[in-house]
Amino acid sequence: MEKVQTSATEQKLTRREMHTISVFVANKPGVLVRIALVFARRGFNVDSLVVSPALDGHYSRMTITALGDRETLIQIIKQVGKLVDVIRVTEHIEQAVVEKEFALIKVAADAAKRAEVMLLVDHFKAQTVDFTEDSLIIQVTGNTEKLDSFISLLEKYGIIEIVRTGKVLMARGKEKT
Amino acid sequence: MSGTEKTRTGAEALVQCLENHGVEYIFGLSGGAAIPIFDALVDSKIKLILVRHEQGATHMADGYARATGRPGVVLVTSGPGATNTVTGIMTAKMDSVPMIVLTGQTPTFVLGKDAFQEADILGITLPIVKHSYLVKQSNDIPRIVNEAFHITNTGRPGPVLIDLPKDITSGVCTAALDSPMDLPGYPEEAKLDQAGILKMAELLNQSQRPLLLIGHGAVIARAGKAVVKLAEKLNSPVTNTLLGKGAFPETHCLSVGMLGMHGTAYANKALTRCDLIFSIGSRWDDRINGDTKKFCVGAKRLHVDIDPAEIGKILSPDAYAIGDARKIIEELVKHVKPLDTKDWIKELNGYKKKYPLKYKKQGGLKAQHVIDEMYKVTKGKVIVTTDVGQHQMWAAQFFLIDEPDTWLTSGGAGTMGYGFPAAIGAQFGCPDKTVVAIVGDGGFQMTLSELATAVIHKLHLKVLIIDNKYLGMVRQWQELFFDNRLSGVDLKGNPDFVKLAEAYGAKAFRIKRSADVRKVLTKAMEYNDGPCVIHAEVIKEDNVFPMIPAGKSAYDMIIEKPKKRMEKPTGST
């Protein structure tokens, strides 16, 4: 799950796009590996992957964001759907879902910079969860784009570490996720 | 279970479940971690066929399954025993063959600790199984076995592996043998796609030059009779893939035989001329479709497949239906009308006359001659298995198949060493038929130790070794595309296969001259007291034609060796 760095021209050539797929699976050993193998075999780069138990503990939910071309993605979805322990696999279109991500960001903000950082924290409705002499940890929730822009604004203060959960999502209204 | 009933071990429960699923034979090789299972087999009516190498066991189970339609069962021990099944599992997966592979495993309390003969066989085989299990509770055994038998032979069949740690098979199992399955993600059989069928019928009814393309899916679905009805109602010519042989009789006047890389010239010509191509259980694989951009240019494409992932994987169809080929075709027949295809069939008959499959009986013993005579001597009324390579292609060309499940060959995987053990499995499954394994000298030497297995059980199968002392197909490529720079193909040092067979206690015959072919084959077919080996020493350097170079389309077919040097192929092997 390396961080993806594709230049604009390359993107144009291969038309690689970020896709969000949710997979509803029987909570059985090995199911994660089987799904990961399908992605790997078809050259898809998994950007983030979140697994959690479903309401009924016999099942789990996975939210996968992955980079690749659409034609391959369709094939991957069909192959994943074939796995015996997979109940349902869906690609989500942004408008129809609520999506959120959570991040912890450790920023090297000493007393001199702290006030500026706190302004940003305030603006993004983030929170500080750890305070030391020369660093602080900020927690922030929101969609991926919001987190990305928050992180890029913090960069000039010196980010020491980032941990992101990856995207989770839920279909709006009556639709099943 | 009543209180007086004897306590069952996991292994005993396993064996009883296998009996309940109608298992007649287990092909296996014992070892430490599997001893409890072998012990339970002592008291079972299931016959254990002890093999000489685990790969042989998997191909036997495969041959048994393809010949009977029932899953083949393999039992091996952990570690190397398990890893030796990998090739056979992959072979079964690629060709959609139902198979249950039971592997012994080191006890659960040492798993992951590099115990003696520990191999993560579940992990190793993940990409090549339809499904797999590592059993962690003795009480799960009945449910898992029931699931495995359901999964392996429904939908698109495929191998299922069950890894059984020794403490689990030794432990007590109190679960009911008919424990219900728990497969919430496994699909029920889909309803007939009426809309798809009608769309296909509409396109068929508009076609002037239709071509039915019959694949392995049609054999597996027992769709043969329905396909004959469809073809005869439409007056449509029919071609078949290597694995589709037998679904539609190749001697039928509408058949143009096998298409593809070494298919008949007339089948490949038909590809370039049809205005509609209708795949019934074929997956547009690269052996018939080297260049997707030039596959049946301009023709409408119809597709029937039970596996939704095959629709649009290689080519996107104009109409399709997902599901059981027999049921779909039976419904489709009702909606099509007879087409006027006189000119189309006349055109194809012209190609048949112009480009027949041929060989010369002079100038040394030819593989084609031996295989063609074998077809004539047996009148085609046998089960044929082949290995992989030139002899396989010649067998596909000259040994016409009219009945399903009588042509067993490794297509998708191209596994050398498959033919002989597959014949053993088929012979166990069909004791009243005669099984002929047509193998090359290269492939046969990969699994020939199973001669012992065939001799012990007095199987009356025939092994026809086409011995050209080369890995002939690779040699052909090197001759055609690599300036005849031969590398890694010379099988100098081949044994005298007659002496070798005799050393195992098998009957053996030798053919060296064209004049002897019929006489020797007739004698060999009459021999009925155990296996017999026929060693045919054919000319060393012969090539399979017609040929479509890898990565090319049917438009680029060559009928014989070109005078000019050929470009290196761009496609897959």
Side-chain angles (χ1 to χ4, degrees):
Chain A
M1 274 175 267
E2 64 198 61
K3 198 144 183 240
V4 182
Q5 289 170 329
T6 321
S7 72
T9 43
E10 253 181 53
Q11 265 180 358
K12 224 176 175 183
L13 280 174
T14 54
R15 273 205 243 118
R16 285 162 74 85
E17 299 159 1
M18 195 64 82
H19 302 274
T20 309
I21 304 118
S22 63
V23 195
F24 190 57
V25 301
N27 191 1
K28 298 205 175 158
V31 59
L32 175 61
V33 187
R34 289 180 210 268
I35 292 171
L37 277 173
V38 175
F39 278 84
R41 186 75 181 138
R42 305 272 167 175
F44 250 58
N45 208 340
V46 172
D47 194 62
S48 81
L49 168 65
V50 184
V51 188
S52 60
L55 186 59
D56 176 346
H58 290 101
Y59 302 99
S60 297
R61 277 189 190 289
M62 296 183 188
T63 310
I64 302 167
T65 46
L67 189 77
D69 66 278
R70 188 154 175 86
E71 202 182 325
T72 312
L73 176 78
I74 291 167
Q75 196 40 228
I76 287 176
I77 288 178
K78 286 180 175 176
Q79 296 291 349
V80 169
K82 261 169 74 170
L83 295 172
V84 169
D85 290 333
V86 171
I87 319 284
R88 194 163 64 242
V89 47
T90 329
E91 188 199 3
H92 289 288
I93 310 151
E94 264 176 78
Q95 288 76 16
V97 296
V98 177
E99 51 171 75
K100 294 286 172 207
E101 196 180 340
F102 174 90
L104 293 171
I105 306 156
K106 192 185 286 176
V107 185
D110 55 18
K113 299 176 192 159
R114 206 160 276 169
E116 278 181 54
V117 172
M118 290 311 290
L119 263 178
L120 283 172
V121 168
D122 202 35
H123 180 80
F124 280 85
K125 296 198 173 69
Q127 278 178 290
T128 50
V129 289
D130 183 54
F131 239 102
T132 66
E133 284 281 308
D134 40 26
S135 77
L136 41 98
I137 299 178
I138 303 164
Q139 79 170 47
V140 60
T141 322
N143 64 28
T144 302
E145 292 71 26
K146 173 184 162 184
L147 265 58
D148 287 346
S149 68
F150 185 50
I151 289 163
S152 77
L153 286 169
L154 286 174
E155 258 164 20
K156 67 172 174 184
Y157 305 102
I159 297 176
I160 301 163
E161 270 184 323
I162 298 179
V163 177
R164 291 172 77 152
T165 56
K167 197 189 280 186
V168 292
L169 57 76
M170 185 174 277
R172 289 178 189 272
K174 281 185 181 163
E175 283 293 304
K176 276 189 184 171
T177 308
Chain B
M1 193 166 72
S2 72
T4 53
E5 204 171 316
K6 179 174 154 272
T7 323
R8 258 198 303 259
T9 65
E12 286 161 354
L14 169 73
V15 169
Q16 284 170 30
C17 284
L18 297 176
E19 288 175 357
N20 292 351
H21 282 281
V23 174
E24 296 175 281
Y25 293 103
I26 290 181
F27 303 96
L29 201 125
S30 60
I35 290 180
I37 310 172
F38 281 87
D39 181 65
L41 279 172
V42 173
D43 301 320
S44 169
K45 60 183 179 190
I46 298 175
K47 290 175 220 80
L48 171 69
I49 307 303
L50 177 64
V51 301
R52 294 300 181 266
H53 186 287
E54 291 87 350
Q55 182 184 353
T58 57
H59 296 327
M60 286 179 206
D62 180 311
Y64 175 89
R66 292 194 209 210
T68 65
R70 300 191 295 272
V73 181
V74 175
L75 170 61
V76 298
T77 192
S78 64
T83 56
N84 278 346
T85 65
V86 168
T87 303
I89 295 174
M90 190 270 276
T91 306
K93 177 67 162 44
M94 290 291 267
D95 289 349
S96 310
V97 177
M99 181 189 291
I100 307 275
V101 180
L102 307 165
T103 52
Q105 181 56 278
T106 47
T108 50
F109 49 85
V110 295
L111 284 183
K113 294 183 180 176
D114 300 329
F116 175 64
Q117 290 194 330
E118 179 184 359
D120 175 9
I121 194 63
L122 188 99
I124 290 168
T125 56
L126 274 176
I128 55 168
V129 293
K130 183 169 176 190
H131 197 50
S132 49
Y133 297 89
L134 169 59
V135 189
K136 291 282 190 69
Q137 310 270 349
S138 304
N139 275 336
D140 287 344
I141 288 176
R143 173 184 56 82
I144 286 174
V145 174
N146 294 339
E147 288 178 4
F149 273 88
H150 180 64
I151 291 168
T152 195
N153 211 11
T154 53
R156 181 177 185 171
V160 176
L161 180 136
I162 307 176
D163 201 15
L164 294 146
K166 197 174 186 177
D167 55 329
I168 301 302
T169 49
S170 314
V172 176
C173 173
T174 54
L177 294 181
D178 59 353
S179 295
M181 298 189 287
D182 175 26
L183 294 171
Y186 193 72
E188 302 284 318
E189 195 181 326
K191 275 204 203 123
L192 267 190
D193 175 3
Q194 204 68 31
I197 291 172
L198 290 178
K199 181 84 196 290
M200 291 196 295
E202 191 191 323
L203 292 174
L204 278 166
N205 288 338
Q206 290 164 9
S207 168
Q208 287 168 341
R209 295 189 308 280
L211 181 63
L212 307 188
L213 162 56
I214 310 303
H216 198 203
V219 178
I220 296 168
R222 305 272 180 280
K225 279 191 186 132
V227 172
V228 171
K229 250 192 216 165
L230 179 71
E232 288 177 351
K233 187 166 179 191
L234 286 167
N235 304 312
S236 171
V238 178
T239 181
N240 53 263
T241 64
L242 175 70
L243 289 185
K245 276 170 81 78
F248 185 86
E250 288 188 298
T251 54
H252 194 292
C253 60
L254 286 170
S255 174
V256 290
M258 183 179 82
L259 80 166
M261 188 175 272
H262 292 293
T264 65
Y266 26 101
N268 289 331
K269 285 277 178 195
L271 279 188
T272 66
R273 291 280 302 138
C274 64
D275 69 357
L276 179 147
I277 177 102
F278 181 9
S279 160
I280 303 171
S282 147
R283 55 190 170 88
W284 317 107
D285 154 87
D286 59 63
R287 301 295 88 175
I288 65 169
N289 171 25
D291 182 351
T292 49
K293 290 195 182 73
K294 287 197 200 157
F295 185 77
C296 302
V297 178
K300 293 283 181 211
R301 296 194 287 250
L302 313 187
H303 195 180
V304 168
D305 207 297
I306 200 161
D307 179 356
E310 289 301 341
I311 306 296
K313 185 181 85 176
I314 305 289
L315 291 176
S316 42
D318 295 288
Y320 66 91
I322 297 167
D324 180 86
R326 182 177 60 78
K327 290 177 188 161
I328 290 171
I329 301 304
E330 278 173 357
E331 179 61 23
L332 179 66
V333 173
K334 298 177 196 163
H335 303 284
V336 297
K337 57 176 198 201
L339 303 175
D340 178 10
T341 54
K342 261 188 236 106
D343 291 347
W344 174 223
I345 286 170
K346 203 172 139 197
E347 179 183 341
L348 294 182
N349 285 339
Y351 298 134
K352 279 188 187 177
K353 275 212 190 90
K354 195 168 170 196
Y355 307 108
L357 289 168
K358 57 179 185 214
Y359 59 88
K360 287 197 185 99
K361 289 187 187 173
Q362 300 84 34
L365 183 63
K366 302 280 167 53
Q368 299 96 310
H369 180 197
V370 180
I371 292 166
D372 191 24
E373 282 296 340
M374 188 55 136
Y375 174 60
K376 286 170 181 155
V377 166
T378 59
K379 301 182 181 70
K381 302 280 179 219
V382 290
I383 295 176
V384 187
T385 76
T386 81
D387 233 81
V388 170
Q390 285 184 318
H391 73 277
Q392 178 191 32
M393 292 298 111
W394 282 317
Q397 291 177 342
F398 290 95
F399 214 111
L400 302 184
I401 302 288
D402 285 345
E403 295 288 331
D405 306 330
T406 63
W407 168 260
L408 321 182
T409 193
S410 166
T415 301
M416 286 175 68
Y418 171 83
F420 173 48
I424 295 177
Q427 191 69 80
F428 275 115
C430 304
D432 300 333
K433 292 191 178 160
T434 301
V435 182
V436 176
I438 303 176
V439 299
D441 48 318
F444 182 58
Q445 291 185 76
M446 292 184 176
T447 46
L448 66 75
S449 56
E450 303 306 339
L451 272 171
T453 316
V455 168
I456 288 165
H457 295 280
K458 286 204 160 200
L459 300 177
H460 57 283
L461 56 84
K462 322 288 170 194
V463 186
L464 174 58
I465 306 170
I466 304 295
D467 179 10
N468 61 2
K469 297 169 179 62
Y470 269 125
L471 296 168
M473 189 57 94
V474 179
R475 191 209 54 75
Q476 173 171 344
W477 277 50
Q478 290 173 346
E479 177 190 331
L480 295 178
F481 307 116
F482 290 82
D483 297 326
N484 206 29
R485 286 156 53 90
L486 302 190
S487 177
V489 291
D490 191 347
L491 291 183
K492 179 161 40 182
N494 269 354
D496 177 333
F497 288 106
V498 169
K499 279 190 187 160
L500 183 95
E502 285 167 355
Y504 275 98
K507 180 79 179 165
F509 298 89
R510 194 190 310 274
I511 309 176
K512 278 192 149 172
R513 302 182 314 145
S514 303
D516 298 339
V517 175
R518 175 158 287 235
K519 192 176 65 195
V520 177
L521 289 182
T522 309
K523 245 203 274 176
M525 290 310 294
E526 280 163 4
Y527 179 78
N528 214 9
D529 194 28
C532 84
V533 168
I534 307 143
H535 182 192
E537 295 186 60
V538 300
I539 58 166
K540 289 183 72 175
E541 289 157 6
D542 199 356
N543 294 327
V544 187
F545 287 111
M547 180 177 192
I548 302 174
K552 298 272 182 151
S553 75
Y555 301 88
D556 307 304
M557 174 177 62
I558 47 178
I559 304 285
E560 52 193 24
K561 188 179 169 182
K563 302 241 160 46
K564 276 195 301 189
R565 179 171 172 249
M566 298 175 68
E567 285 168 43
K568 281 184 189 160
T570 50
S572 122
T573 53

